[in-house]
Amino acid sequence: MVRIEEWRRLPAALASILGVAFAYYLAGWIGLHQRVVVEGAEVTPLWLPTGIALAALLWLGLPAWPGIALGTVLAIEHISTFDLADLGIAAGNTLAPVCAYLMLRKVGFRTEVDRLRDGLALVFLGGLLPMLISATAGTWTLVLTGDLPSSEFWPVWAAWWAGDAMGVLVGTPVLLVLPRFHVSRDIYRAAEAAALMSTCIIVSLIATRSTLSLLFLVFPVLIWAAVRFQLAGSAPCTLIVSVLAISAATDQAGRFADHSLLEVMVNLQALNGAAALTGLLLSALVTEHNNIRIKIEQVCEDLAELVEHLSPGRSGPDL
């Protein structure tokens, strides 16, 4: 019976793997349109497939890893002909989100990201630390195959690591919010959400494409999103800011004009990183405080009912 049950689950498991692979490849195909060349190597400032990979593992568990590996192979094939040397890149891109998932599960990470500790775990254990694996494996593969001079290892490694880490910090929160997304029945709250999204787009365009130093204007919008809508508001706003900033950087518009590629990448990743940390950590902190307040109110209501029940003026039960 157990064997039969396993066979029945096989089509669903294969569908999940293929779905993860397709989503990974599609996001990679979109991301490659905004790639930059650093010392002869093609890297992306925001590699969203990494965020998709981690979200898939958080939803489906370790059985999702073949889909990540297949998606990586397809993404590499889109850039150039896949050969055995590229197995190092595929292995690193698969192992990094798997390690992130295992570390997050070890510390009791909750996909609701309703505690500050969850936000910090996603930043450090989900993004910054494990993506060292993919960046190191990928860059060394390029060096060992002769596609990258060893003297240019660190610039490419830094760009690779930043792109993968930003994929987690920007992409994974958006995906974790999607299953809980719903349109509010409160017309005023729905109107505020629409105003927030519109303001975010307008302010991001002005901040990233203006020749004035106005990049800081995105942060009041992110604070508004996190305080009023928590992760459901801050995650999409952070994604909007990041995508529009990358677009301006690749076009060398606004504050990204007349700078070297290294300076553009540093400014871009500093903005994206600060925006992601502001939105993610502030929304987690606000959600945790709201949950604590709700629990305290519930305890106070229960205590009031108990006091009323035990008050001397209350008649006892009939015998």
Side-chain angles (χ1 to χ4, degrees), residues 12 24 28-29 117 167 183 195 226 230 263 270:
Y24 191 103
W29 178 77
R117 58 177 290 187
V183 179
Q230 288 76 66
E263 293 171 336

Side-chain angles (χ1 to χ4, degrees), residues 1-302:
M1 285 295 295
V2 175
R3 180 83 56 175
I4 295 175
E5 190 66 25
E6 291 178 353
W7 279 103
R8 289 178 177 176
R9 295 176 182 175
L10 184 59
L14 289 176
S16 298
I17 290 173
L18 293 177
V20 172
F22 176 75
Y24 191 103
Y25 169 75
L26 181 61
W29 178 77
I30 296 173
L32 288 173
H33 283 286
Q34 293 186 320
R35 63 182 179 269
V36 294
V37 179
V38 179
E39 306 299 342
E42 294 182 343
V43 295
T44 56
L46 176 63
W47 187 241
L48 285 176
T50 307
I52 292 176
L54 181 55
L57 289 166
L58 291 171
W59 287 334
L60 305 174
L62 286 178
W65 77 263
I68 300 171
L70 178 59
T72 303
V73 171
L74 294 175
I76 295 174
E77 182 71 22
H78 180 77
I79 301 175
S80 62
T81 303
F82 187 87
D83 53 39
L84 291 179
D86 292 327
L87 287 176
I89 297 176
N93 283 17
T94 303
L95 185 59
V98 168
C99 290
Y101 164 73
L102 293 176
M103 287 191 291
L104 289 176
R105 189 176 67 172
K106 184 70 174 179
V107 298
F109 174 78
R110 296 203 299 231
T111 56
E112 296 83 3
V113 196
D114 55 357
R115 302 171 299 179
L116 181 59
R117 58 177 290 187
D118 294 325
L120 291 172
L122 186 59
V123 170
F124 292 100
L125 302 183
L128 300 183
L129 291 180
M131 297 310 129
L132 297 173
I133 298 173
S134 58
T136 303
T139 310
W140 269 119
T141 297
L142 295 178
V143 172
L144 294 176
T145 56
D147 295 329
L148 180 72
S150 58
S151 59
E152 308 299 343
F153 175 89
W154 290 113
V156 175
W157 179 90
W160 198 311
W161 171 75
D164 282 359
M166 288 307 305
V168 172
L169 298 184
V170 174
T172 301
V174 174
L175 295 173
L176 294 180
V177 163
L178 285 180
R180 306 190 304 274
F181 176 80
H182 67 278
V183 179
S184 176
R185 296 182 179 180
D186 186 342
I187 186 173
Y188 295 105
R189 189 164 179 81
E192 183 183 1
L196 172 64
M197 292 296 109
S198 301
T199 303
C200 183
I201 294 173
I202 295 172
V203 170
S204 297
L205 285 172
I206 294 174
T208 56
R209 293 190 174 267
S210 173
T211 56
L212 301 176
S213 298
L214 299 177
L215 293 177
F216 63 90
L217 288 179
V218 302
F219 292 101
V221 179
L222 292 173
I223 293 172
W224 174 15
V227 171
R228 292 291 295 155
F229 298 95
Q230 288 76 66
L231 193 63
S234 66
C237 284
T238 301
L239 180 61
I240 291 172
V241 170
S242 181
V243 169
L244 293 180
I246 292 173
S247 176
T250 53
D251 293 341
Q252 291 192 332
R255 297 303 299 172
F256 300 103
D258 302 325
H259 291 287
S260 67
L261 179 59
L262 177 60
E263 293 171 336
V264 169
M265 290 294 293
V266 169
N267 290 332
L268 175 62
Q269 297 299 26
L271 173 64
N272 287 343
L277 290 177
T278 299
L280 181 60
L281 298 183
L282 183 57
S283 63
L285 183 62
V286 172
T287 302
E288 184 175 28
H289 283 186
N290 288 343
N291 291 339
I292 292 174
R293 176 179 55 80
I294 292 173
K295 291 180 180 178
I296 293 175
E297 290 176 352
Q298 184 61 48
V299 170
C300 291
E301 291 177 3
D302 294 341

